[in-house]
Amino acid sequence: MSNKLAWPIAISVAALLAGIFALIKSGGFLGSAIIFLFMLVIPGLAYTRLVHIGDFLLEIVVAVGISLVLGTILAEGMVFLHIWSPNAGLGVLIGISLIGAFLQTMQGRSPIRESEL
Amino acid sequence: MGNMSETILERYAVTKSIIGKRGFGVLFRTVFIPLLFITCAFILWYVSLPQINPGNMNDLGLVSVLPATYFAALGVLAISYIVNIHQKYSNDYILLVHILLLIFIIHGTPQIVYGTLRYAWAWKHVGIVDYIQRNGSVNPTITDLNAYHNWPGFFALVAMYNTVAGLASSLSYAGWGPVFFNLIDLGALLVLFKTLTNDRRLVWLSVWIFYLFSWIGQDYFSPQAFAYFLYMVTIIIVLKWFRRQPAMAQADTQRGIRSSKLYKLYSTITNHPIPDDQGVSQTNVRQRLFFILALIMIFTVIASSHQLTPLMLISALALLVIFQVTNQRFLPILMAAITTIWIIFMAVGFLDGNLYWIVKSIGSLLDNVNGNFINLAIASPGQQFIAKIDRLLSAAIWILGFVGLYRRYRAGKWDYIAILLAIAPVPMVLLNSYGGEMIFRVYMFSLPFVAFLAGSIIYPRLDAGMSLKAPIFATVLSFIVIPGFLISYYGKERMNYFSPNEVAAAQVIFNIAPKGSLIMDGVYGWPRQYTHYEDYNYQYISLLPVDQINNILKNPARQLPYYMETAAPGSVFVTPNQTSPETEPNLPGVQGKADYTAAYLVITRSQIAQAEMTGSLPADWATTIENSLSKSPNFRVVYSNQDAVIYQYIDLGEP
C-alpha cells in the first residue's frame, strides 16, 4: 500500500468505526472509546495533513484543537438552533473527515511544490 | 520539505554513528536504566494505592493518608527524569513516559482510590451536560447555574458525545478529567516550549516544572480546562505560523517615532533577535488561510465556552501585536469582536442578573485581590497552613522565573515572548475578583511561560548546565517542591472527596424528591445538581448572614421551617426581609411563602468537612441541627447512612 494512502485510509476507517458504534449504541467501553478518540482527533487530522505541518506532535496538537472546535461548533449550533440531533452531528463530523481524507488522496497525486513555500 | 528530509537524514546518521561507536552502552544508559527506574516508580505507586484510605484524611487532605511508597515513587521518578534530561543522548520517548507516569500518579490517584467523582463543581458540570442531553437546548435565563447556559460550548460537546456513545451521563468518566486535560496539555506544552527554544533539555525541564507548580486544580471536568487547552493551541498557531520575522520587526520599529523615551524602551524590547529562533515556520498561502480559518473557529469556541479565557487571550494577543511578535493586527481585534458579540447577543441572560457587580468590581484592585484569598482568620489550622504553602509555591515560581530570565539575559537571550505571555493575564486582576478566583486564574495562564523562564536557571544556553551541578540543583529543587505541591494540590481533598455513602444519599434524594422540591444543605459541597437539576430548588445555610445562621442554630427545629417555607424558588435563600443583592445576585423578585412540593435537608460528611475547613459554619452546626430535628415532629429521617442523613420537612402548621 502506498504511504500516501495510509493516512486517508486510517482516517476513513476510524470515521466508519465511530459511525458503526454510534449506530449500534451497545459497543460498551470499546465503542465509547472509539467514538471518543474519533471526535478528539480525526476531523482535525483529516485537514492538518493537507497543510503539511511536518512535526507530528505539532500536527496532533493542532488536530486535537481543531477536532474539539469542530465538534463544539456543531453541538452548540444544534443547541441554539433547536435542532438537537447528536447522531446527525456525528454524521457531519464523519462526513467532514471523509472529505478531508479524500482531499488527501487528491493531494497525494500533486504534492505541494517547493515554489509554494 | 527538503530541509526536513535533510534534518531527518542527518539525525539518523548521527544516531547511527553514536550507536555504532558506543553500541550497547548508550542504549543501556538512555533506555534500559530509565525503563528500570520507571518500572520501579510504577510498582511503588501501584502498591501504594490499596494502602490509601480516603476516609481517614485529616485537615491536610490526601497527603495525610499517602503511604511512604507513594512519595518514594515520585522521588524515583524525579531522579530518573532529571538525570535523563541531563544525559547527552537521552531519548525523548523515555522522557515522555516519565511525564505520563507523573500525570497518572498525581491526577489518576484520587480517581482510582475514591472511585467517585471528586470536587463539588464537577458534579454541577455533569448536571449541565445532563440538562442539555435531556432537553437538547439551554435556558440562558435560568436562575441557577445561569452562566453555564450562556457559555455552553464545552457542555454541548460533551452532551453530543454522551448521546452518540450511548451514555446516560458523564459520571462514568468525568473523574478522569484531570488526567485527560493534563495529557492534552502536555502535547501543547511540549510544542509551545519548542517554539521558544531549541534546547531540548530546557523544553523537558520546563514541562516538569509546569506540572510541579500546577497546584491550582482547574484541570477537572470543566469548561475552563477545555478553554485552557484551546488558549495554548491559539498561542502555538500564532507563534508558529504568524510570527513576524525579527528583521521585519526591526524595520517596522524604525518607522516609528524615535524621540520619546517610551520608544527607546519599546525598541530595546523588540529590536532584539528572538533567542533560539527555531520556531518560525515558513508558510505558504494555503497554510495561512487554513490557520486563519482555524483561529476564527477556535476564537468562536473559546468565546462561547468560558467567560474568562477570551479576556486572557485578547490580552495575550494584544501584547504579541503591540510588541511585534506577530504582524497579524486583526487577531486581538477579531477575538475582542467575537467575545463582545457573544456577550451582547448570546449571553444577555447572564448580563441581566450580573452586570451590576461586574461593573462595580472593574478597577477595584484591592478588593479584587483580597477577594481571592481565603479568610485565614476563620479557616481551620490545616487550611491556614495549606494557604501559606499555596502562596509560597506561587511566589517561588515567579522568583525562579525572574532569576531564570536574568540568567538567560546574561547569556545573551532576551525571551520577551515568554515574558509577554507570562504577564498578559496580570491585568485581569483589575477587572474583577471572578468569584474569588481571579488571582489563581492569572497564575494558571501565566504558569507555562513562568515555568519556561524558571527552567532557564539551569539551562540558560545550549552549552550551559553541562556539569553535575545542574541535575543536582534540579533534583534538590524537585524534592523541595514535590511535598509542597502535594500539600497544595491535595489540600482540600477532605471536602472534595465524596464517599460512596454520600453518593448513595445523593442518588436517594434525587429519586424520592418530587419535582419542585426544596433541597437544603449546610454548604454546597456534596454531590448535588448532577441530574435533573432544574427541577429542584437549592439553598445552603452557610450563605445566610451570620446573625441568621446563629438564629437557626439556637433552635433549628423551630427556625428551619420558616426558611423552608419562605425562600424564593430558584434563588439563593431569600427571606421577606432579606433582599440584599450582595448575597442574591440572581434574585428573581419572588419572595414570601414558597410553594415547594416538598422540602428536604441533606447533611453529609463532606459538608461538615467543608464547613470546618473554611469556617463557613460554626463547628457544631451539624450536630446541633441533627439533635434538634431528631426530636421534632416536623422532620423525619427519610434516609441515613454512615456519611449522610436526609430529613424531610413535614408541614404540621405551627412548628
Side-chain angles (χ1 to χ4, degrees):
Chain A
M1 185 200 305
S2 160
N3 274 345
K4 284 172 186 168
L5 287 178
W7 277 110
I9 289 172
I11 288 166
S12 306
V13 169
L16 292 174
L17 276 176
I20 290 166
F21 279 112
L23 279 178
I24 60 175
K25 298 269 183 233
S26 58
F29 175 77
L30 181 69
S32 307
I34 285 175
I35 294 171
F36 176 78
L37 289 174
F38 167 76
M39 288 177 69
L40 183 67
V41 187
I42 300 299
L45 194 63
Y47 290 87
T48 52
R49 297 216 50 91
L50 288 171
V51 287
H52 301 274
I53 290 174
D55 181 332
F56 184 66
L57 179 63
L58 174 59
E59 185 170 344
I60 288 292
V61 169
V62 175
V64 169
I66 291 174
S67 299
L68 292 175
V69 158
L70 282 171
T72 307
I73 289 172
L74 268 173
E76 262 189 325
M78 291 189 294
V79 162
F80 283 109
L81 295 172
H82 300 287
I83 48 167
W84 182 246
S85 175
N87 286 329
L90 182 73
V92 173
L93 284 180
I94 290 171
I96 288 172
S97 305
L98 293 176
I99 291 170
F102 175 72
L103 290 175
Q104 282 182 38
T105 61
M106 292 291 103
Q107 199 183 44
R109 289 173 195 171
S110 57
I112 191 166
R113 292 186 297 273
E114 285 294 318
S115 59
E116 279 188 78
L117 291 172
Chain B
M1 289 296 286
N3 286 342
M4 199 179 76
S5 309
E6 280 167 24
T7 312
I8 291 168
L9 284 173
E10 281 167 13
R11 202 177 291 173
Y12 173 71
V14 169
T15 311
K16 199 179 166 188
S17 71
I18 291 164
I19 300 293
K21 283 178 191 166
R22 315 275 165 91
F24 187 70
V26 172
L27 266 182
F28 189 74
R29 275 208 313 277
T30 58
V31 178
F32 295 138
I33 289 185
L35 279 179
L36 201 68
F37 272 86
I38 290 168
T39 310
C40 180
F42 177 80
I43 291 169
L44 284 167
W45 173 55
Y46 187 78
V47 299
S48 306
L49 295 174
Q51 301 175 55
I52 303 170
N53 181 355
N56 291 339
M57 276 189 273
N58 67 21
D59 209 15
L60 289 178
L62 194 61
V63 172
S64 62
V65 292
L66 293 176
T69 44
Y70 181 92
F71 297 100
L74 283 176
V76 169
L77 198 67
I79 292 169
S80 175
Y81 185 77
I82 289 162
V83 168
N84 267 278
I85 290 176
H86 194 66
Q87 292 254 10
K88 198 172 179 184
Y89 305 114
S90 61
N91 186 310
D92 280 352
Y93 292 107
I94 293 292
L95 290 169
L96 181 67
V97 175
H98 281 89
I99 295 288
L100 294 179
L101 185 56
L102 178 77
I103 289 172
F104 273 90
I105 290 177
I106 291 172
H107 302 287
T109 298
Q111 178 59 20
I112 294 168
V113 170
Y114 300 171
T116 54
L117 178 60
R118 72 196 254 257
Y119 200 36
W121 285 98
W123 287 82
K124 295 171 198 274
H125 294 170
V126 169
I128 301 294
V129 174
D130 169 76
Y131 180 99
I132 296 175
Q133 220 175 321
R134 282 183 290 104
N135 298 293
S137 63
V138 288
N139 179 1
T141 56
I142 198 166
T143 311
D144 212 1
L145 304 180
N146 163 277
Y148 298 138
H149 287 258
N150 288 276
W151 282 271
F154 167 74
F155 303 109
L157 175 68
V158 180
M160 182 168 115
Y161 166 70
N162 282 355
T163 310
V164 295
L167 301 170
S169 148
S170 308
L171 270 183
S172 58
Y173 62 83
W176 289 99
V179 172
F180 169 74
F181 283 116
N182 279 289
L183 285 177
I184 59 171
D185 287 348
L186 170 60
L189 286 168
L190 283 169
V191 173
L192 201 52
F193 295 146
K194 276 183 180 177
T195 63
L196 297 174
T197 180
N198 59 358
D199 187 345
R200 51 187 292 283
R201 300 169 308 164
L202 181 53
V203 168
W204 287 103
L205 185 64
S206 304
V207 168
W208 181 255
I209 293 173
F210 173 87
Y211 283 112
L212 291 197
F213 281 90
S214 183
W215 61 268
I216 298 290
Q218 291 301 320
D219 46 12
Y220 64 102
F221 181 74
S222 64
Q224 59 265 39
F226 173 74
Y228 186 64
F229 171 72
L230 294 179
Y231 173 90
M232 287 202 279
V233 172
T234 304
I235 299 296
I236 288 167
I237 291 176
V238 172
L239 293 185
K240 203 76 191 166
W241 287 283
F242 296 105
R243 196 196 293 182
R244 178 177 289 202
Q245 299 294 337
M248 289 168 65
Q250 285 176 28
D252 273 15
T253 308
Q254 282 159 11
R255 285 202 294 269
I257 304 163
R258 289 160 187 254
S259 58
S260 72
K261 287 178 182 171
L262 196 65
Y263 165 73
K264 283 178 184 165
L265 175 69
Y266 177 78
S267 60
T268 306
I269 295 169
T270 55
N271 280 351
H272 204 289
I274 295 165
D276 310 338
D277 203 356
Q278 302 293 308
V280 185
S281 294
Q282 279 194 316
T283 54
N284 54 48
V285 175
R286 186 192 297 176
Q287 282 181 329
R288 279 192 288 275
L289 281 175
F290 175 81
F291 286 112
I292 284 173
L293 188 62
L295 284 178
I296 292 170
M297 291 195 300
I298 293 173
F299 287 177
T300 308
V301 168
I302 290 178
S304 64
S305 297
H306 193 232
Q307 304 97 304
L308 186 61
T309 310
L311 304 181
M312 295 288 188
L313 192 53
I314 291 166
S315 178
L317 292 173
L319 281 181
L320 293 180
V321 167
I322 290 168
F323 288 93
Q324 302 189 40
V325 177
T326 176
N327 56 357
Q328 304 298 317
R329 291 176 188 169
F330 74 96
L331 289 175
I333 297 166
L334 181 67
M335 183 70 223
I338 292 173
T339 304
T340 308
I341 288 168
W342 186 269
I343 291 172
I344 291 174
F345 293 102
M346 306 304 285
V348 69
F350 178 80
L351 282 187
D352 276 350
N354 297 281
L355 191 60
Y356 71 91
W357 66 262
I358 294 171
V359 173
K360 193 180 159 191
S361 65
I362 290 173
S364 308
L365 179 62
L366 205 60
D367 288 347
N368 292 340
V369 172
N370 288 335
N372 289 300
F373 295 117
I374 68 163
N375 187 349
L376 290 181
I378 58 169
S380 63
Q383 291 306 301
Q384 290 177 21
F385 172 70
I386 289 165
K388 284 172 188 164
I389 298 288
D390 294 347
R391 293 170 194 187
L392 209 60
L393 275 180
S394 310
I397 186 67
W398 276 93
I399 291 168
L400 290 170
F402 277 117
V403 177
L405 174 66
Y406 175 72
R407 294 258 296 160
R408 287 276 281 178
Y409 184 70
R410 288 286 302 271
K413 294 172 188 295
W414 177 230
D415 284 300
Y416 71 95
I417 297 177
I419 299 168
L420 294 174
L421 292 168
I423 62 171
V426 176
M428 295 304 124
V429 177
L430 286 169
L431 282 182
N432 69 56
S433 73
Y434 199 63
E437 289 206 8
M438 183 61 92
I439 210 155
F440 303 120
R441 302 301 175 94
V442 167
Y443 179 89
M444 174 179 157
F445 280 90
S446 295
L447 185 58
F449 310 100
V450 184
F452 172 78
L453 294 173
S456 305
I457 291 179
I458 296 171
Y459 301 119
R461 57 179 194 272
L462 273 172
D463 58 348
M466 298 295 190
S467 71
L468 269 181
K469 279 184 200 167
I472 290 172
F473 178 73
T475 308
V476 169
L477 187 69
S478 299
F479 275 64
I480 293 170
V481 173
I482 286 171
F485 166 77
L486 294 176
I487 289 170
S488 285
Y489 186 69
Y490 290 150
K492 291 186 171 60
E493 287 307 296
R494 195 156 66 97
M495 69 184 213
N496 290 344
Y497 163 62
F498 305 121
S499 69
N501 279 333
E502 288 168 272
V503 174
Q507 285 166 343
V508 167
I509 186 83
F510 295 116
N511 279 335
I512 61 172
K515 189 176 176 178
S517 296
L518 169 72
I519 297 174
M520 184 186 271
D521 45 48
V523 289
Y524 66 82
W526 63 285
R528 72 178 195 175
Q529 292 178 296
Y530 72 92
T531 181
H532 293 79
Y533 96 92
E534 75 278 17
D535 291 345
Y536 306 102
N537 302 284
Y538 293 90
Q539 293 166 9
Y540 47 106
I541 297 169
S542 65
L543 204 66
L544 284 168
V546 175
D547 58 331
Q548 291 191 38
I549 293 172
N550 291 336
N551 203 28
I552 287 175
L553 293 179
K554 275 180 194 165
N555 190 348
R558 187 165 183 83
Q559 291 296 323
L560 279 174
Y562 170 74
Y563 289 97
M564 288 177 151
E565 287 177 352
T566 57
S571 76
V572 278
F573 233 114
V574 178
T575 67
N577 299 320
Q578 188 234 341
T579 57
S580 162
E582 275 79 18
T583 48
E584 283 80 37
N586 295 319
L587 181 67
V590 182
Q591 297 168 32
K593 193 169 174 66
D595 194 18
Y596 299 125
T597 49
Y600 301 88
L601 175 69
V602 181
I603 299 175
T604 64
R605 180 210 57 81
S606 58
Q607 288 179 41
I608 296 169
Q610 184 183 350
E612 189 186 314
M613 289 161 68
T614 58
S616 51
L617 285 174
D620 56 351
W621 70 275
T623 318
T624 307
I625 290 176
E626 286 185 55
N627 287 342
S628 174
L629 300 196
S630 62
K631 295 171 195 159
S632 168
N634 289 90
F635 290 90
R636 69 182 175 102
V637 175
V638 289
Y639 179 82
S640 75
N641 62 36
Q642 202 182 334
D643 294 334
V645 58
I646 302 172
Y647 294 94
Q648 182 177 8
Y649 169 57
I650 303 153
D651 187 2
L652 300 174
E654 276 295 306

